[in-house]
Amino acid sequence: MENQVLTPHVYWAQRHRELYLRVELSDVQNPAISITENVLHFKAQGHGAKGDNVYEFHLEFLDLVKPEPVYRLTQRQVNITVQKKVSQWWERLTKQEKRPLFLAPDFDRWLDESDAEMELRAKEEERLNKLCLESEGSPETLTSLKKGYLFMYNLVQFLGFSWIFVNLTVRFLILGKESFHDTFHTVADMMYFCQMLAVVETINAAIGVISSPVVPSLLQLLGRNFILFIIFGTMEEMQTKAVVFFVFYIWSLIEIFRYPFYMLSCIDMDWKVLTWLRYTVWIPLYPLGCLAEAVSVIQSIPIYNETGRFSFTLPYPVKMKVRFSFFLQIYLIMLFLGLYINFRHLYKQRRRRYGQKKKKMH
């Protein structure tokens, strides 16, 4: 009597250039796997959910693929890799909109589109760096220079923000609330230096020196520098307010954990306590920092309205005065939008680092 033909469990994931299929069959030998007319055909004898049987399935792909699948057998499964003809992101695997019952996402390999783009860019950067290093014939030297440069940058930033943090802490312990009102005049020069130097971090991400997305880094740079140079820097009335202390203190508290983590990463060291702090302290501190920045903007609105600074009048025939406070109100909305983008980016980093279980996708 012939064995009953059944369908195995199949799990899939994708990258921009490849599709990954994992067939849950053990003890498989010489499976019949082919692609004809953009349809994947699979047939094999193996041990699956229904015991030892012949299992088979057919999948018509959403878009064109190359007709040369590559597979690898393990004791517990069959791993199939299919190359896409065009490097792009697919909204689903199959041409039919309804997902076959035997098909499910492979959460062990699943990435959303933005994460896959980061991975693709990192691989491309690695490939280009490898070609560049091979052509120059001194990979160790260039790698050492890059690590040394990043180590020194992070060290300088760490020392700068540490000086601010220690200065504010000691003055508060000695003077109490009285220290709030001259925070700006005490540490502003160092904060100016650190925030101007932070431009280098965004440039590093943009040109591929570090494998970090540009948008979160740019949003943080622009947001902080707007508060520092415009809200505090141009208005003497704001420089004596207590909110300056809280903004500077939260900024420095975040960075005294972030920069030493990057320093140690440059020399391939992983201090677990520091790593945990780097991926955890932002959870309360980023919302608090956003709140402190929002308070500073709100407190500055009456001052800008009274002084008329940065306000202007539209030309004839409108002749309407546009107050700078109007743009500050728009900025408040953008501030919390930026918080969401950075929070989402940092949450993804933490999830990848500590391997939290991903939610099932529908």
Side-chain angles (χ1 to χ4, degrees):
M1 181 178 177
E2 292 185 359
N3 288 337
Q4 183 182 5
V5 177
L6 301 168
T7 303
H9 293 300
V10 181
Y11 301 89
W12 80 283
Q14 68 168 316
R15 299 296 184 267
H16 285 80
R17 297 172 179 170
E18 297 173 322
L19 300 167
Y20 304 116
L21 298 169
R22 174 165 57 87
V23 185
E24 288 294 303
L25 280 182
S26 59
D27 302 323
V28 175
Q29 293 183 356
N30 300 320
I33 304 173
S34 63
I35 296 178
T36 56
E37 297 181 352
N38 219 49
V39 178
L40 174 68
H41 305 278
F42 177 94
K43 187 174 183 179
Q45 173 82 33
H47 187 85
K50 299 296 183 180
D52 285 313
N53 268 299
V54 175
Y55 292 84
E56 68 176 82
F57 66 88
H58 308 279
L59 287 174
E60 183 175 5
F61 294 112
L62 175 66
D63 211 334
L64 296 178
V65 298
K66 296 181 181 179
E68 303 92 15
V70 177
Y71 69 88
R72 182 172 62 87
L73 300 176
T74 68
Q75 189 174 358
R76 301 180 60 183
Q77 61 197 28
V78 182
N79 296 310
I80 305 172
T81 302
V82 179
Q83 299 290 330
K84 299 177 181 178
K85 276 199 172 181
V86 179
S87 178
Q88 62 182 3
W89 195 256
W90 291 7
E91 62 180 14
R92 61 180 184 273
L93 177 65
T94 58
K95 190 171 184 179
Q96 65 182 66
E97 292 188 9
K98 186 176 181 181
R99 178 174 61 83
L101 295 177
F102 64 86
L103 185 65
D106 185 352
F107 291 112
D108 291 336
R109 302 196 71 168
W110 194 271
L111 292 178
D112 60 28
E113 185 175 1
S114 60
D115 288 338
E117 287 176 352
M118 289 175 58
E119 182 184 78
L120 181 64
R121 187 172 68 175
K123 287 182 178 179
E124 187 65 20
E125 289 171 358
E126 184 179 355
R127 185 184 70 83
L128 292 174
N129 288 337
K130 185 177 180 181
L131 289 174
C132 179
L133 294 176
E134 287 177 352
S135 66
E136 294 185 9
S138 55
E140 294 84 1
T141 301
L142 287 179
T143 301
S144 298
L145 287 173
K146 177 182 174 180
K147 287 185 175 182
Y149 156 69
L150 292 175
F151 183 88
M152 289 305 300
Y153 167 77
N154 290 302
L155 174 61
V156 171
Q157 287 287 58
F158 170 63
L159 293 176
F161 280 106
S162 295
W163 184 89
I164 295 172
F165 176 77
V166 171
N167 190 298
L168 294 180
T169 301
V170 171
R171 294 183 74 257
F172 175 73
L173 293 176
I174 296 174
L175 303 175
K177 294 181 181 180
E178 295 297 322
S179 66
F180 292 170
H181 304 293
D182 60 350
T183 295
F184 185 86
H185 300 290
T186 305
V187 300
D189 289 341
M190 182 60 73
M191 186 62 77
Y192 280 137
F193 171 78
C194 290
Q195 283 306 126
M196 286 189 291
L197 189 60
V199 174
V200 174
E201 196 166 335
T202 302
I203 295 174
N204 287 340
I207 65 177
V209 175
I210 56 176
S211 57
S212 296
V214 179
V215 173
S217 175
L218 182 62
L219 287 176
Q220 177 169 293
L221 175 69
L222 294 177
R224 285 189 178 182
N225 283 349
F226 179 80
I227 297 296
L228 177 62
F229 289 94
I230 304 299
I231 302 298
F232 295 157
T234 65
M235 300 295 289
E236 292 185 7
E237 296 90 337
M238 287 297 301
Q239 295 172 5
T240 57
K241 292 188 177 294
V243 70
V244 178
F245 173 89
F246 293 101
V247 170
F248 285 4
Y249 200 77
I250 293 171
W251 287 358
S252 60
L253 188 56
I254 292 171
E255 306 302 7
I256 62 173
F257 296 116
R258 190 167 71 95
Y259 284 116
F261 168 79
Y262 290 144
M263 283 170 51
L264 295 183
S265 298
C266 292
I267 54 177
D268 301 320
M269 287 185 62
D270 182 15
W271 184 23
K272 294 187 182 299
V273 174
L274 181 61
T275 301
W276 183 87
L277 287 170
R278 184 263 178 274
Y279 285 104
T280 305
V281 294
W282 61 265
I283 297 174
L285 291 181
Y286 264 72
L288 287 174
C290 183
L291 180 62
E293 291 174 27
V295 169
S296 68
V297 172
I298 292 170
Q299 289 184 349
S300 72
I301 288 176
I303 302 174
Y304 280 107
N305 284 338
E306 182 180 347
T307 61
R309 183 169 295 180
F310 301 138
S311 298
F312 58 92
T313 302
L314 294 175
Y316 181 84
V318 180
K319 287 189 175 181
M320 182 177 69
K321 186 174 183 179
V322 180
R323 294 182 180 274
F324 185 62
S325 58
F326 170 74
F327 298 100
L328 293 180
Q329 292 168 22
I330 296 176
Y331 176 79
L332 284 173
I333 299 174
M334 297 174 61
L335 179 65
F336 288 98
L337 178 61
L339 172 66
Y340 167 77
I341 294 173
N342 271 331
F343 212 89
R344 184 171 178 266
H345 166 65
L346 291 169
Y347 171 74
K348 284 184 177 181
Q349 284 188 327
R350 193 178 198 282
R351 184 182 61 186
R352 285 197 297 267
R353 182 76 185 194
Y354 291 103
Q356 293 185 0
K357 188 176 180 181
K358 298 183 178 181
K359 295 182 179 180
K360 186 173 181 179
M361 299 183 63
H362 299 285

